[in-house]
């Protein structure tokens, strides 16, 4: 039977025709930009495969500056991205699977205290963390500077120190630092915690890249 394999193609063609008649279906899609059109078609092709299954997935939309949590193609939640930077953006073209959700650090309870540990809540979620994916991709959630400048400086200082250490070790060992595609996303404290709360191991991620034309 070839019908199941033909269904996504038919759906893709249907959406493509819908774009021609209704360009606002894809937010901020410039129909005169061939690069943006190719990117929108690529994203839709990947999303059709994910929407066919009962699963939650994430679309990082670098055009509309939003992180969108979806299921069955329906938007469930939207988190605004305050700002972003990327390296090797041209290589971010596939569906990425989250290796592990961000760790939750909670204060230890003294055995003598006798207090019971309460269930994990949204307030226990981290607001700054790094996510690793398969295929290779790193997404770093960074603090929003206007909310807490000192926390932002501490985070950046730690980030710069790791960058310097990696390159120093590569220099003295005459090795090349492996280059992995990466995204740095700035979210507010509450939005970062909401994202951390939502994430599960193996969750699919798609990235809609901004046109460089």
């Amino acid at each position: 039977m070839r019908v199941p394999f033909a269904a996504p193609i038919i759906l893709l063609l249907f959406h493509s025709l819908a774009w021609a008649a209704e360009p606002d279906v894809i937010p901020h899609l410039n129909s005169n930009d061939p690069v943006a059109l190719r990117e929108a078609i690529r994203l839709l092709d990947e999303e059709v495969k994910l929407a066919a299954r009962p699963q939650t997935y994430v679309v990082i939309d670098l055009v509309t500056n939003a992180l969108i949590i979806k299921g069955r193609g329906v938007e469930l939640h939207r988190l605004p991205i305050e700002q972003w930077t990327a390296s090797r953006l041209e290589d971010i073209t596939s569906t990425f699977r989250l290796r592990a959700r961000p760790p939750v650090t909670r204060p230890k309870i003294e055995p003598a205290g006798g207090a019971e540990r309460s269930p994990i809540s949204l307030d226990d979620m981290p607001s700054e963390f790094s996510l690793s994916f398969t295929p290779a991709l790193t997404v770093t959630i960074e603090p929003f500077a206007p909310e807490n400048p000192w926390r932002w400086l501490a985070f950046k200082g730690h980030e710069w120190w790791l960058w310097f250490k990696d390159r120093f070790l590569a220099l003295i060992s005459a090795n090349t630092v492996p280059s992995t595609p990466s995204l740095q996303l700035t979210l507010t404290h509450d939005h970062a915690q909401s994202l951390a709360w939502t994430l599960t191991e193996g969750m699919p991620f798609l990235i809609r890249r901004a046109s460089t034309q």
Side-chain angles (χ1 to χ4, degrees):
M1 284 291 287
R2 295 188 178 183
V3 174
F5 297 98
I9 299 175
I10 293 172
L11 184 59
L12 177 59
L13 291 175
F14 174 79
H15 278 285
S16 298
L17 291 174
W19 293 344
E22 205 172 345
D24 290 336
V25 170
I26 303 293
H28 296 265
L29 177 61
N30 182 2
S31 58
N32 297 319
D33 184 349
V35 176
L37 285 172
R38 284 196 298 271
E39 179 66 8
I41 293 172
R42 179 196 68 82
L43 184 72
L44 180 61
D45 188 30
E46 295 290 336
E47 189 169 351
V48 163
K49 303 171 189 175
L50 296 178
R53 299 180 179 180
Q55 61 183 338
T56 304
Y57 58 95
V58 178
V59 178
I60 300 177
D61 193 332
L62 300 180
V63 178
T64 62
N65 290 328
L67 197 151
I68 310 163
I69 301 166
K70 306 181 77 171
R72 291 289 195 180
V74 178
E75 181 177 323
L76 304 176
H77 196 43
R78 177 179 291 258
L79 304 173
I81 298 173
E82 304 299 331
Q83 60 188 41
W84 62 270
T85 57
S87 65
R88 294 182 57 185
L89 192 60
E90 68 279 1
D91 295 335
I92 305 177
T93 58
S94 59
T95 298
F96 297 89
R97 298 275 175 176
L98 183 63
R99 292 183 180 176
R101 63 181 306 177
V104 178
T105 303
R106 307 179 73 195
K108 294 182 179 180
I109 295 179
E110 296 295 334
E116 294 185 1
R117 184 182 292 272
S118 60
I120 294 177
S121 68
L122 183 62
D123 291 336
D124 296 316
M125 294 295 107
S127 60
E128 51 204 54
F129 47 88
S130 184
L131 304 172
S132 298
F133 294 84
T134 303
L137 171 70
T138 300
V139 175
T140 304
I141 306 302
E142 302 186 348
F144 188 37
E147 284 187 331
N148 193 327
W150 295 113
R151 192 177 186 90
W152 179 85
L153 284 173
F155 181 88
K156 280 297 183 182
H158 180 68
E159 195 175 55
W160 292 332
W161 163 246
L162 292 177
W163 178 89
F164 174 79
K165 184 179 70 173
D166 288 343
R167 276 146 186 80
F168 178 75
L169 292 176
L171 180 64
I172 62 176
S173 62
N175 292 328
T176 303
V177 178
S179 179
T180 300
S182 63
L183 280 175
Q184 295 77 41
L185 308 178
T186 300
L187 305 180
T188 63
H189 180 85
D190 291 343
H191 289 152
Q193 286 187 314
S194 295
L195 175 62
W197 179 264
T198 305
L199 297 179
T200 58
E201 183 178 345
M203 179 176 281
F205 272 63
L206 296 174
I207 291 90
R208 180 188 179 191
R209 301 171 301 174
S211 175
T212 56
Q213 183 174 352

